[in-house]
Amino acid sequence: MENRSRLFDSLVVGGQPLRNRIVLPPLTRSRATVDGVPTRLMEEYYGQRAGAGLVISEGAVITPQASAYARVPGLYSAEQVTAWRPVVEAAKRDGAVVYAQLWHVGRQSHSSVQPDGLLPKGPSAVPITGYQYRSPTGRIPYETPRELTTPEIAEIIKAYGTAARNAVRAGFDGVELHAANGYLIDQFLNDGSNHRTDHYGGSLENRTRFLHEVISEVARHLPSERIGVRLSPSSDWMDVHDSDKRTLYSTVVRQLNDLGLAYLHLVEPEIAGSTTVDSPADSIPTAELAALFDGVVIVTGGHDQASGEQLLTDGTADLVGFGRLFIANPDLPHRFRTRAPLEPVRPAGVYGGGPEGYTDYPALAASGT
Ligand SMILES: Cc1cc2nc3c(=O)[nH]c(=O)nc-3n(C[C@H](O)[C@H](O)[C@H](O)COP(=O)(O)O)c2cc1C
């Protein structure tokens, strides 16, 4: 009995059965074209990882302005939609349910990559301090963003809707809103980055308004049960901080209960973007926030098979994401099932490049799990 692995139990999410509780979480790998068009290489990569019950795409930017880095895919042009189709099909090859992560980086962008060469925009003219922008020629300071005007906010909300519609057209089963890791939605939520005095700033009701308006707009294009939301409640990565994180995030989670979403995706406190760090002092235990949510909860961050099983056993999570393990072990579910050894991630090729460090991690067995 003890041998039975809960990671291989099925679960229905958004009306669709998942064959296991293993999630490929969003992982930016920068293998799209310079115009953000998905490539054949991406098709191969996602096909290799199709054994997950739920595949969430790497962040896909909703407009050219929403991006911070080269070769990140988008979901705003017809060409991108067409090119996503075979990628999504490959990810569905073994029966996975496949969601697109919708991404806008807000103040984490830089004028050097903005289409018009102007400053990036965020909720307020508050720059990121303590971190540096990774430019092709090295690390440089973040700029002071321009404060979004109300009409610009409305345009961005519309763009989320268009991107969601494009995701459906490309074959995705649903979308995940990236409200984590200090990107635009997170910048609106936290009072350290949101100093607005209009109805998008100040009170909790106002700071959560942008998230809710985005969800409402996206829900015009697909059922709410096909929309997930990703939060990183404890992270202060990229200088997101709030005077009362616990109240902020428990309010956000409680509000989401009323919306009938596909899932809530929580990033563990010890994750800073894509790396493991010491948890911030004001961390909120993931179990505490998960318990406030009535629907499906995904937990990602630093987990292996044993700790993933534990999250399912103690009821903290319904699904578990394995990011870096999936980068280096494309057949991760098969390896979990057979208790096979796991490969470590090689630093070369994590972001950008060709097949090396991307599609050249071997599978143990061609059949997967
Ligand atoms: C190379 C890399 C790229 C990532 N890209 C994204 C992304 O596009 N969107 C996102 O929400 N998180 C992204 N993350 C964070 C992962 O989804 C995950 O939260 C993190 O890796 C911790 O999980 P792990 O310990 O299982 O790797 C990225 C992480 C890595 C390592």
Side-chain angles (χ1 to χ4, degrees), residues 25-29 57-59 101 103 176 178 180-181 183 230 265 267 271 273-276 300-303 321-325 327 350-351:
L27 295 165
T28 291
R29 306 303 309 277
S57 81
E58 61 205 280
Q101 189 187 48
W103 193 20
E176 173 177 289
H178 196 346
N181 296 349
Y183 294 111
R230 185 171 220 215
H265 190 171
V267 180
I271 299 300
S274 59
T275 53
T276 303
T300 298
H303 290 290
F322 301 94
R324 286 163 290 180
L325 289 185
I327 289 177
V350 169
Y351 294 105

PDB file of all heavy atoms in Angstrom, residues 25-29 57-59 101 103 176 178 180-181 183 230 265 267 271 273-276 300-303 321-325 327 350-351, ligand 1:
ATOM      1  N   PRO A  25       5.340  23.011 -14.990  1.00  0.00           N
ATOM      2  CA  PRO A  25       5.011  24.420 -14.734  1.00  0.00           C
ATOM      3  C   PRO A  25       5.597  25.306 -15.824  1.00  0.00           C
ATOM      4  O   PRO A  25       6.425  24.845 -16.616  1.00  0.00           O
ATOM      5  CB  PRO A  25       5.654  24.684 -13.372  1.00  0.00           C
ATOM      6  CG  PRO A  25       6.835  23.770 -13.335  1.00  0.00           C
ATOM      7  CD  PRO A  25       6.474  22.556 -14.162  1.00  0.00           C
ATOM      8  N   PRO A  26       5.186  26.558 -15.881  1.00  0.00           N
ATOM      9  CA  PRO A  26       5.696  27.436 -16.936  1.00  0.00           C
ATOM     10  C   PRO A  26       7.205  27.631 -16.827  1.00  0.00           C
ATOM     11  O   PRO A  26       7.716  27.955 -15.761  1.00  0.00           O
ATOM     12  CB  PRO A  26       4.959  28.757 -16.704  1.00  0.00           C
ATOM     13  CG  PRO A  26       4.398  28.671 -15.330  1.00  0.00           C
ATOM     14  CD  PRO A  26       4.211  27.230 -15.016  1.00  0.00           C
ATOM     15  N   LEU A  27       7.892  27.432 -17.931  1.00  0.00           N
ATOM     16  CA  LEU A  27       9.357  27.556 -17.967  1.00  0.00           C
ATOM     17  C   LEU A  27       9.772  28.295 -19.232  1.00  0.00           C
ATOM     18  O   LEU A  27       9.690  27.748 -20.336  1.00  0.00           O
ATOM     19  CB  LEU A  27      10.005  26.164 -17.962  1.00  0.00           C
ATOM     20  CG  LEU A  27       9.807  25.308 -16.708  1.00  0.00           C
ATOM     21  CD1 LEU A  27      10.182  23.863 -16.984  1.00  0.00           C
ATOM     22  CD2 LEU A  27      10.598  25.860 -15.530  1.00  0.00           C
ATOM     23  N   THR A  28      10.195  29.529 -19.082  1.00  0.00           N
ATOM     24  CA  THR A  28      10.703  30.313 -20.205  1.00  0.00           C
ATOM     25  C   THR A  28      12.003  29.706 -20.699  1.00  0.00           C
ATOM     26  O   THR A  28      12.922  29.490 -19.905  1.00  0.00           O
ATOM     27  CB  THR A  28      10.938  31.768 -19.742  1.00  0.00           C
ATOM     28  OG1 THR A  28       9.674  32.354 -19.505  1.00  0.00           O
ATOM     29  CG2 THR A  28      11.694  32.581 -20.790  1.00  0.00           C
ATOM     30  N   ARG A  29      12.093  29.403 -21.995  1.00  0.00           N
ATOM     31  CA  ARG A  29      13.297  28.781 -22.517  1.00  0.00           C
ATOM     32  C   ARG A  29      13.869  29.548 -23.711  1.00  0.00           C
ATOM     33  O   ARG A  29      14.911  29.175 -24.263  1.00  0.00           O
ATOM     34  CB  ARG A  29      13.018  27.315 -22.900  1.00  0.00           C
ATOM     35  CG  ARG A  29      12.409  26.437 -21.785  1.00  0.00           C
ATOM     36  CD  ARG A  29      13.244  26.374 -20.517  1.00  0.00           C
ATOM     37  NE  ARG A  29      14.624  26.033 -20.771  1.00  0.00           N
ATOM     38  CZ  ARG A  29      15.084  24.784 -20.938  1.00  0.00           C
ATOM     39  NH1 ARG A  29      14.267  23.769 -20.834  1.00  0.00           N
ATOM     40  NH2 ARG A  29      16.362  24.561 -21.159  1.00  0.00           N
ATOM     41  N   SER A  57       2.297  26.163 -20.539  1.00  0.00           N
ATOM     42  CA  SER A  57       3.345  26.673 -21.422  1.00  0.00           C
ATOM     43  C   SER A  57       4.232  27.668 -20.686  1.00  0.00           C
ATOM     44  O   SER A  57       3.842  28.246 -19.668  1.00  0.00           O
ATOM     45  CB  SER A  57       2.722  27.377 -22.640  1.00  0.00           C
ATOM     46  OG  SER A  57       2.341  28.703 -22.304  1.00  0.00           O
ATOM     47  N   GLU A  58       5.401  27.877 -21.220  1.00  0.00           N
ATOM     48  CA  GLU A  58       6.240  28.991 -20.806  1.00  0.00           C
ATOM     49  C   GLU A  58       5.419  30.280 -20.954  1.00  0.00           C
ATOM     50  O   GLU A  58       4.451  30.315 -21.734  1.00  0.00           O
ATOM     51  CB  GLU A  58       7.464  29.057 -21.702  1.00  0.00           C
ATOM     52  CG  GLU A  58       7.139  29.290 -23.173  1.00  0.00           C
ATOM     53  CD  GLU A  58       8.230  28.774 -24.093  1.00  0.00           C
ATOM     54  OE1 GLU A  58       9.251  29.472 -24.273  1.00  0.00           O
ATOM     55  OE2 GLU A  58       8.068  27.656 -24.629  1.00  0.00           O
ATOM     56  N   GLY A  59       5.801  31.319 -20.224  1.00  0.00           N
ATOM     57  CA  GLY A  59       5.093  32.580 -20.341  1.00  0.00           C
ATOM     58  C   GLY A  59       5.002  33.024 -21.788  1.00  0.00           C
ATOM     59  O   GLY A  59       6.019  33.069 -22.484  1.00  0.00           O
ATOM     60  N   GLN A 101       0.377  30.064 -20.479  1.00  0.00           N
ATOM     61  CA  GLN A 101       0.556  31.098 -19.456  1.00  0.00           C
ATOM     62  C   GLN A 101       0.606  32.469 -20.132  1.00  0.00           C
ATOM     63  O   GLN A 101       1.443  32.715 -21.009  1.00  0.00           O
ATOM     64  CB  GLN A 101       1.838  30.887 -18.646  1.00  0.00           C
ATOM     65  CG  GLN A 101       1.856  31.850 -17.443  1.00  0.00           C
ATOM     66  CD  GLN A 101       3.137  31.859 -16.654  1.00  0.00           C
ATOM     67  OE1 GLN A 101       4.225  31.951 -17.214  1.00  0.00           O
ATOM     68  NE2 GLN A 101       3.024  31.764 -15.336  1.00  0.00           N
ATOM     69  N   TRP A 103       1.330  36.415 -20.110  1.00  0.00           N
ATOM     70  CA  TRP A 103       2.400  37.120 -19.401  1.00  0.00           C
ATOM     71  C   TRP A 103       2.511  38.568 -19.851  1.00  0.00           C
ATOM     72  O   TRP A 103       2.530  38.854 -21.055  1.00  0.00           O
ATOM     73  CB  TRP A 103       3.697  36.377 -19.711  1.00  0.00           C
ATOM     74  CG  TRP A 103       4.893  36.698 -18.894  1.00  0.00           C
ATOM     75  CD1 TRP A 103       4.944  37.283 -17.663  1.00  0.00           C
ATOM     76  CD2 TRP A 103       6.255  36.392 -19.237  1.00  0.00           C
ATOM     77  NE1 TRP A 103       6.243  37.361 -17.228  1.00  0.00           N
ATOM     78  CE2 TRP A 103       7.060  36.822 -18.166  1.00  0.00           C
ATOM     79  CE3 TRP A 103       6.856  35.790 -20.342  1.00  0.00           C
ATOM     80  CZ2 TRP A 103       8.450  36.679 -18.179  1.00  0.00           C
ATOM     81  CZ3 TRP A 103       8.245  35.647 -20.347  1.00  0.00           C
ATOM     82  CH2 TRP A 103       9.024  36.085 -19.273  1.00  0.00           C
ATOM     83  N   GLU A 176      -3.410  30.234 -18.017  1.00  0.00           N
ATOM     84  CA  GLU A 176      -2.996  30.594 -16.664  1.00  0.00           C
ATOM     85  C   GLU A 176      -2.566  32.053 -16.685  1.00  0.00           C
ATOM     86  O   GLU A 176      -1.743  32.444 -17.526  1.00  0.00           O
ATOM     87  CB  GLU A 176      -1.820  29.715 -16.207  1.00  0.00           C
ATOM     88  CG  GLU A 176      -1.234  30.172 -14.875  1.00  0.00           C
ATOM     89  CD  GLU A 176      -0.121  29.277 -14.353  1.00  0.00           C
ATOM     90  OE1 GLU A 176      -0.408  28.150 -13.925  1.00  0.00           O
ATOM     91  OE2 GLU A 176       1.052  29.709 -14.380  1.00  0.00           O
ATOM     92  N   HIS A 178      -0.395  34.900 -15.304  1.00  0.00           N
ATOM     93  CA  HIS A 178       0.843  35.021 -14.529  1.00  0.00           C
ATOM     94  C   HIS A 178       0.712  36.237 -13.605  1.00  0.00           C
ATOM     95  O   HIS A 178       0.946  37.375 -14.021  1.00  0.00           O
ATOM     96  CB  HIS A 178       2.016  35.189 -15.490  1.00  0.00           C
ATOM     97  CG  HIS A 178       3.345  34.948 -14.860  1.00  0.00           C
ATOM     98  ND1 HIS A 178       3.539  34.884 -13.497  1.00  0.00           N
ATOM     99  CD2 HIS A 178       4.582  34.733 -15.414  1.00  0.00           C
ATOM    100  CE1 HIS A 178       4.818  34.655 -13.242  1.00  0.00           C
ATOM    101  NE2 HIS A 178       5.466  34.561 -14.390  1.00  0.00           N
ATOM    102  N   ALA A 180       2.342  36.195 -10.696  1.00  0.00           N
ATOM    103  CA  ALA A 180       3.407  35.899  -9.724  1.00  0.00           C
ATOM    104  C   ALA A 180       4.685  36.645 -10.099  1.00  0.00           C
ATOM    105  O   ALA A 180       4.723  37.439 -11.042  1.00  0.00           O
ATOM    106  CB  ALA A 180       3.666  34.385  -9.721  1.00  0.00           C
ATOM    107  N   ASN A 181       5.717  36.397  -9.299  1.00  0.00           N
ATOM    108  CA  ASN A 181       7.108  36.773  -9.629  1.00  0.00           C
ATOM    109  C   ASN A 181       7.332  38.239  -9.992  1.00  0.00           C
ATOM    110  O   ASN A 181       8.226  38.563 -10.770  1.00  0.00           O
ATOM    111  CB  ASN A 181       7.634  35.875 -10.768  1.00  0.00           C
ATOM    112  CG  ASN A 181       7.698  34.415 -10.328  1.00  0.00           C
ATOM    113  OD1 ASN A 181       7.544  34.127  -9.145  1.00  0.00           O
ATOM    114  ND2 ASN A 181       7.915  33.506 -11.256  1.00  0.00           N
ATOM    115  N   TYR A 183       5.696  40.366 -11.790  1.00  0.00           N
ATOM    116  CA  TYR A 183       5.328  40.884 -13.107  1.00  0.00           C
ATOM    117  C   TYR A 183       4.086  41.776 -12.972  1.00  0.00           C
ATOM    118  O   TYR A 183       3.654  42.089 -11.852  1.00  0.00           O
ATOM    119  CB  TYR A 183       5.147  39.719 -14.096  1.00  0.00           C
ATOM    120  CG  TYR A 183       6.461  39.014 -14.340  1.00  0.00           C
ATOM    121  CD1 TYR A 183       6.700  37.728 -13.880  1.00  0.00           C
ATOM    122  CD2 TYR A 183       7.509  39.672 -14.993  1.00  0.00           C
ATOM    123  CE1 TYR A 183       7.935  37.108 -14.065  1.00  0.00           C
ATOM    124  CE2 TYR A 183       8.742  39.066 -15.186  1.00  0.00           C
ATOM    125  CZ  TYR A 183       8.951  37.783 -14.722  1.00  0.00           C
ATOM    126  OH  TYR A 183      10.183  37.203 -14.913  1.00  0.00           O
ATOM    127  N   ARG A 230      -1.743  32.169 -11.210  1.00  0.00           N
ATOM    128  CA  ARG A 230      -0.504  31.835 -10.511  1.00  0.00           C
ATOM    129  C   ARG A 230      -0.060  32.981  -9.613  1.00  0.00           C
ATOM    130  O   ARG A 230       0.053  34.126 -10.077  1.00  0.00           O
ATOM    131  CB  ARG A 230       0.606  31.517 -11.519  1.00  0.00           C
ATOM    132  CG  ARG A 230       1.868  31.043 -10.834  1.00  0.00           C
ATOM    133  CD  ARG A 230       2.912  30.526 -11.795  1.00  0.00           C
ATOM    134  NE  ARG A 230       3.541  29.353 -11.205  1.00  0.00           N
ATOM    135  CZ  ARG A 230       4.831  29.044 -11.352  1.00  0.00           C
ATOM    136  NH1 ARG A 230       5.615  29.797 -12.072  1.00  0.00           N
ATOM    137  NH2 ARG A 230       5.333  27.975 -10.769  1.00  0.00           N
ATOM    138  N   HIS A 265      -2.513  28.407  -8.588  1.00  0.00           N
ATOM    139  CA  HIS A 265      -1.145  27.860  -8.669  1.00  0.00           C
ATOM    140  C   HIS A 265      -0.251  28.663  -7.725  1.00  0.00           C
ATOM    141  O   HIS A 265       0.004  29.840  -7.969  1.00  0.00           O
ATOM    142  CB  HIS A 265      -0.665  27.972 -10.122  1.00  0.00           C
ATOM    143  CG  HIS A 265       0.612  27.252 -10.406  1.00  0.00           C
ATOM    144  ND1 HIS A 265       1.102  27.088 -11.686  1.00  0.00           N
ATOM    145  CD2 HIS A 265       1.515  26.643  -9.605  1.00  0.00           C
ATOM    146  CE1 HIS A 265       2.243  26.414 -11.641  1.00  0.00           C
ATOM    147  NE2 HIS A 265       2.516  26.144 -10.388  1.00  0.00           N
ATOM    148  N   VAL A 267       3.351  29.366  -5.803  1.00  0.00           N
ATOM    149  CA  VAL A 267       4.797  29.141  -5.805  1.00  0.00           C
ATOM    150  C   VAL A 267       5.267  29.149  -4.350  1.00  0.00           C
ATOM    151  O   VAL A 267       4.865  30.004  -3.557  1.00  0.00           O
ATOM    152  CB  VAL A 267       5.527  30.245  -6.609  1.00  0.00           C
ATOM    153  CG1 VAL A 267       7.036  30.003  -6.611  1.00  0.00           C
ATOM    154  CG2 VAL A 267       4.992  30.319  -8.039  1.00  0.00           C
ATOM    155  N   ILE A 271      11.258  30.090  -3.382  1.00  0.00           N
ATOM    156  CA  ILE A 271      11.599  30.273  -4.793  1.00  0.00           C
ATOM    157  C   ILE A 271      11.645  31.766  -5.121  1.00  0.00           C
ATOM    158  O   ILE A 271      10.690  32.507  -4.858  1.00  0.00           O
ATOM    159  CB  ILE A 271      10.574  29.564  -5.712  1.00  0.00           C
ATOM    160  CG1 ILE A 271      10.561  28.054  -5.435  1.00  0.00           C
ATOM    161  CG2 ILE A 271      10.876  29.856  -7.184  1.00  0.00           C
ATOM    162  CD1 ILE A 271      11.872  27.327  -5.663  1.00  0.00           C
ATOM    163  N   GLY A 273      11.847  33.600  -8.327  1.00  0.00           N
ATOM    164  CA  GLY A 273      11.803  33.525  -9.790  1.00  0.00           C
ATOM    165  C   GLY A 273      12.078  32.108 -10.269  1.00  0.00           C
ATOM    166  O   GLY A 273      11.185  31.275 -10.339  1.00  0.00           O
ATOM    167  N   SER A 274      13.354  31.853 -10.567  1.00  0.00           N
ATOM    168  CA  SER A 274      13.719  30.529 -11.080  1.00  0.00           C
ATOM    169  C   SER A 274      14.774  29.845 -10.217  1.00  0.00           C
ATOM    170  O   SER A 274      15.301  28.807 -10.594  1.00  0.00           O
ATOM    171  CB  SER A 274      14.221  30.669 -12.514  1.00  0.00           C
ATOM    172  OG  SER A 274      15.331  31.536 -12.546  1.00  0.00           O
ATOM    173  N   THR A 275      15.080  30.420  -9.065  1.00  0.00           N
ATOM    174  CA  THR A 275      16.121  29.816  -8.219  1.00  0.00           C
ATOM    175  C   THR A 275      15.610  29.607  -6.793  1.00  0.00           C
ATOM    176  O   THR A 275      14.596  30.189  -6.388  1.00  0.00           O
ATOM    177  CB  THR A 275      17.384  30.695  -8.153  1.00  0.00           C
ATOM    178  OG1 THR A 275      16.988  32.012  -7.760  1.00  0.00           O
ATOM    179  CG2 THR A 275      18.093  30.780  -9.488  1.00  0.00           C
ATOM    180  N   THR A 276      16.340  28.786  -6.050  1.00  0.00           N
ATOM    181  CA  THR A 276      15.969  28.512  -4.662  1.00  0.00           C
ATOM    182  C   THR A 276      16.803  29.396  -3.739  1.00  0.00           C
ATOM    183  O   THR A 276      18.016  29.513  -3.907  1.00  0.00           O
ATOM    184  CB  THR A 276      16.213  27.022  -4.345  1.00  0.00           C
ATOM    185  OG1 THR A 276      15.466  26.239  -5.280  1.00  0.00           O
ATOM    186  CG2 THR A 276      15.753  26.679  -2.934  1.00  0.00           C
ATOM    187  N   THR A 300       4.123  24.530  -6.613  1.00  0.00           N
ATOM    188  CA  THR A 300       5.400  24.344  -7.324  1.00  0.00           C
ATOM    189  C   THR A 300       6.521  25.016  -6.548  1.00  0.00           C
ATOM    190  O   THR A 300       6.331  26.105  -5.995  1.00  0.00           O
ATOM    191  CB  THR A 300       5.331  24.974  -8.737  1.00  0.00           C
ATOM    192  OG1 THR A 300       4.313  24.322  -9.497  1.00  0.00           O
ATOM    193  CG2 THR A 300       6.661  24.832  -9.480  1.00  0.00           C
ATOM    194  N   GLY A 301       7.682  24.375  -6.559  1.00  0.00           N
ATOM    195  CA  GLY A 301       8.863  25.034  -6.006  1.00  0.00           C
ATOM    196  C   GLY A 301       9.704  24.134  -5.129  1.00  0.00           C
ATOM    197  O   GLY A 301       9.348  23.876  -3.981  1.00  0.00           O
ATOM    198  N   GLY A 302      10.787  23.640  -5.697  1.00  0.00           N
ATOM    199  CA  GLY A 302      11.746  22.871  -4.914  1.00  0.00           C
ATOM    200  C   GLY A 302      11.304  21.459  -4.581  1.00  0.00           C
ATOM    201  O   GLY A 302      11.908  20.823  -3.705  1.00  0.00           O
ATOM    202  N   HIS A 303      10.288  20.956  -5.248  1.00  0.00           N
ATOM    203  CA  HIS A 303       9.795  19.624  -4.870  1.00  0.00           C
ATOM    204  C   HIS A 303      10.417  18.506  -5.680  1.00  0.00           C
ATOM    205  O   HIS A 303      10.774  18.667  -6.851  1.00  0.00           O
ATOM    206  CB  HIS A 303       8.268  19.577  -4.957  1.00  0.00           C
ATOM    207  CG  HIS A 303       7.657  20.402  -3.874  1.00  0.00           C
ATOM    208  ND1 HIS A 303       7.729  20.016  -2.554  1.00  0.00           N
ATOM    209  CD2 HIS A 303       7.051  21.603  -3.899  1.00  0.00           C
ATOM    210  CE1 HIS A 303       7.167  20.962  -1.804  1.00  0.00           C
ATOM    211  NE2 HIS A 303       6.756  21.939  -2.590  1.00  0.00           N
ATOM    212  N   GLY A 321       3.840  20.865  -9.279  1.00  0.00           N
ATOM    213  CA  GLY A 321       4.677  21.247 -10.410  1.00  0.00           C
ATOM    214  C   GLY A 321       6.139  20.905 -10.139  1.00  0.00           C
ATOM    215  O   GLY A 321       6.624  21.058  -9.012  1.00  0.00           O
ATOM    216  N   PHE A 322       6.818  20.457 -11.180  1.00  0.00           N
ATOM    217  CA  PHE A 322       8.245  20.132 -11.081  1.00  0.00           C
ATOM    218  C   PHE A 322       8.952  20.831 -12.240  1.00  0.00           C
ATOM    219  O   PHE A 322       8.903  20.362 -13.378  1.00  0.00           O
ATOM    220  CB  PHE A 322       8.467  18.620 -11.180  1.00  0.00           C
ATOM    221  CG  PHE A 322       7.747  17.824 -10.120  1.00  0.00           C
ATOM    222  CD1 PHE A 322       6.485  17.292 -10.381  1.00  0.00           C
ATOM    223  CD2 PHE A 322       8.314  17.627  -8.869  1.00  0.00           C
ATOM    224  CE1 PHE A 322       5.809  16.565  -9.405  1.00  0.00           C
ATOM    225  CE2 PHE A 322       7.642  16.902  -7.893  1.00  0.00           C
ATOM    226  CZ  PHE A 322       6.382  16.369  -8.165  1.00  0.00           C
ATOM    227  N   GLY A 323       9.569  21.958 -11.978  1.00  0.00           N
ATOM    228  CA  GLY A 323      10.137  22.766 -13.051  1.00  0.00           C
ATOM    229  C   GLY A 323      11.503  22.289 -13.487  1.00  0.00           C
ATOM    230  O   GLY A 323      11.680  21.697 -14.554  1.00  0.00           O
ATOM    231  N   ARG A 324      12.492  22.543 -12.640  1.00  0.00           N
ATOM    232  CA  ARG A 324      13.860  22.214 -13.032  1.00  0.00           C
ATOM    233  C   ARG A 324      14.034  20.707 -13.244  1.00  0.00           C
ATOM    234  O   ARG A 324      14.806  20.297 -14.105  1.00  0.00           O
ATOM    235  CB  ARG A 324      14.833  22.787 -12.004  1.00  0.00           C
ATOM    236  CG  ARG A 324      14.954  24.309 -12.138  1.00  0.00           C
ATOM    237  CD  ARG A 324      15.570  24.967 -10.927  1.00  0.00           C
ATOM    238  NE  ARG A 324      14.682  24.919  -9.771  1.00  0.00           N
ATOM    239  CZ  ARG A 324      14.982  25.421  -8.585  1.00  0.00           C
ATOM    240  NH1 ARG A 324      16.144  25.999  -8.394  1.00  0.00           N
ATOM    241  NH2 ARG A 324      14.111  25.348  -7.590  1.00  0.00           N
ATOM    242  N   LEU A 325      13.295  19.892 -12.487  1.00  0.00           N
ATOM    243  CA  LEU A 325      13.404  18.442 -12.722  1.00  0.00           C
ATOM    244  C   LEU A 325      12.927  18.082 -14.124  1.00  0.00           C
ATOM    245  O   LEU A 325      13.492  17.201 -14.777  1.00  0.00           O
ATOM    246  CB  LEU A 325      12.595  17.656 -11.680  1.00  0.00           C
ATOM    247  CG  LEU A 325      13.151  17.631 -10.258  1.00  0.00           C
ATOM    248  CD1 LEU A 325      12.298  16.713  -9.376  1.00  0.00           C
ATOM    249  CD2 LEU A 325      14.602  17.159 -10.245  1.00  0.00           C
ATOM    250  N   ILE A 327      13.062  20.054 -16.752  1.00  0.00           N
ATOM    251  CA  ILE A 327      14.016  20.538 -17.768  1.00  0.00           C
ATOM    252  C   ILE A 327      15.014  19.427 -18.086  1.00  0.00           C
ATOM    253  O   ILE A 327      15.285  19.136 -19.252  1.00  0.00           O
ATOM    254  CB  ILE A 327      14.755  21.804 -17.255  1.00  0.00           C
ATOM    255  CG1 ILE A 327      13.793  22.995 -17.220  1.00  0.00           C
ATOM    256  CG2 ILE A 327      15.995  22.107 -18.123  1.00  0.00           C
ATOM    257  CD1 ILE A 327      14.400  24.280 -16.674  1.00  0.00           C
ATOM    258  N   VAL A 350      19.940  26.883 -20.701  1.00  0.00           N
ATOM    259  CA  VAL A 350      18.681  27.041 -19.957  1.00  0.00           C
ATOM    260  C   VAL A 350      17.841  28.128 -20.632  1.00  0.00           C
ATOM    261  O   VAL A 350      16.658  27.932 -20.909  1.00  0.00           O
ATOM    262  CB  VAL A 350      18.938  27.370 -18.463  1.00  0.00           C
ATOM    263  CG1 VAL A 350      17.640  27.788 -17.772  1.00  0.00           C
ATOM    264  CG2 VAL A 350      19.529  26.162 -17.745  1.00  0.00           C
ATOM    265  N   TYR A 351      18.458  29.277 -20.883  1.00  0.00           N
ATOM    266  CA  TYR A 351      17.759  30.362 -21.605  1.00  0.00           C
ATOM    267  C   TYR A 351      18.422  30.586 -22.964  1.00  0.00           C
ATOM    268  O   TYR A 351      19.563  31.024 -23.042  1.00  0.00           O
ATOM    269  CB  TYR A 351      17.827  31.667 -20.827  1.00  0.00           C
ATOM    270  CG  TYR A 351      17.093  31.650 -19.517  1.00  0.00           C
ATOM    271  CD1 TYR A 351      17.800  31.572 -18.318  1.00  0.00           C
ATOM    272  CD2 TYR A 351      15.711  31.721 -19.468  1.00  0.00           C
ATOM    273  CE1 TYR A 351      17.136  31.567 -17.096  1.00  0.00           C
ATOM    274  CE2 TYR A 351      15.033  31.713 -18.258  1.00  0.00           C
ATOM    275  CZ  TYR A 351      15.757  31.633 -17.077  1.00  0.00           C
ATOM    276  OH  TYR A 351      15.093  31.620 -15.883  1.00  0.00           O
TER     277      TYR A 351
HETATM  278  C1  LIG B   1      14.417  28.313 -16.720  1.00  0.00           C
HETATM  279  C2  LIG B   1      13.209  28.732 -15.947  1.00  0.00           C
HETATM  280  C3  LIG B   1      12.229  29.509 -16.556  1.00  0.00           C
HETATM  281  C4  LIG B   1      11.070  29.881 -15.861  1.00  0.00           C
HETATM  282  N1  LIG B   1      10.081  30.571 -16.517  1.00  0.00           N
HETATM  283  C5  LIG B   1       8.915  30.831 -15.889  1.00  0.00           C
HETATM  284  C6  LIG B   1       7.818  31.418 -16.590  1.00  0.00           C
HETATM  285  O1  LIG B   1       7.855  31.658 -17.808  1.00  0.00           O
HETATM  286  N2  LIG B   1       6.690  31.681 -15.879  1.00  0.00           N
HETATM  287  C7  LIG B   1       6.582  31.398 -14.542  1.00  0.00           C
HETATM  288  O2  LIG B   1       5.534  31.642 -13.939  1.00  0.00           O
HETATM  289  N3  LIG B   1       7.598  30.815 -13.868  1.00  0.00           N
HETATM  290  C8  LIG B   1       8.736  30.503 -14.510  1.00  0.00           C
HETATM  291  N4  LIG B   1       9.737  29.846 -13.841  1.00  0.00           N
HETATM  292  C9  LIG B   1       9.502  29.385 -12.463  1.00  0.00           C
HETATM  293  C10 LIG B   1       9.049  27.902 -12.446  1.00  0.00           C
HETATM  294  O3  LIG B   1       7.737  27.784 -13.003  1.00  0.00           O
HETATM  295  C11 LIG B   1       9.033  27.340 -11.012  1.00  0.00           C
HETATM  296  O4  LIG B   1       8.180  28.114 -10.211  1.00  0.00           O
HETATM  297  C12 LIG B   1      10.426  27.325 -10.397  1.00  0.00           C
HETATM  298  O5  LIG B   1      11.366  26.749 -11.284  1.00  0.00           O
HETATM  299  C13 LIG B   1      10.440  26.528  -9.088  1.00  0.00           C
HETATM  300  O6  LIG B   1      10.038  25.197  -9.313  1.00  0.00           O
HETATM  301  P1  LIG B   1      11.132  23.990  -9.339  1.00  0.00           P
HETATM  302  O7  LIG B   1      11.867  24.059  -8.026  1.00  0.00           O
HETATM  303  O8  LIG B   1      10.301  22.751  -9.468  1.00  0.00           O
HETATM  304  O9  LIG B   1      12.035  24.240 -10.494  1.00  0.00           O
HETATM  305  C14 LIG B   1      10.910  29.488 -14.503  1.00  0.00           C
HETATM  306  C15 LIG B   1      11.915  28.722 -13.890  1.00  0.00           C
HETATM  307  C16 LIG B   1      13.032  28.337 -14.598  1.00  0.00           C
HETATM  308  C17 LIG B   1      14.065  27.461 -13.907  1.00  0.00           C
END
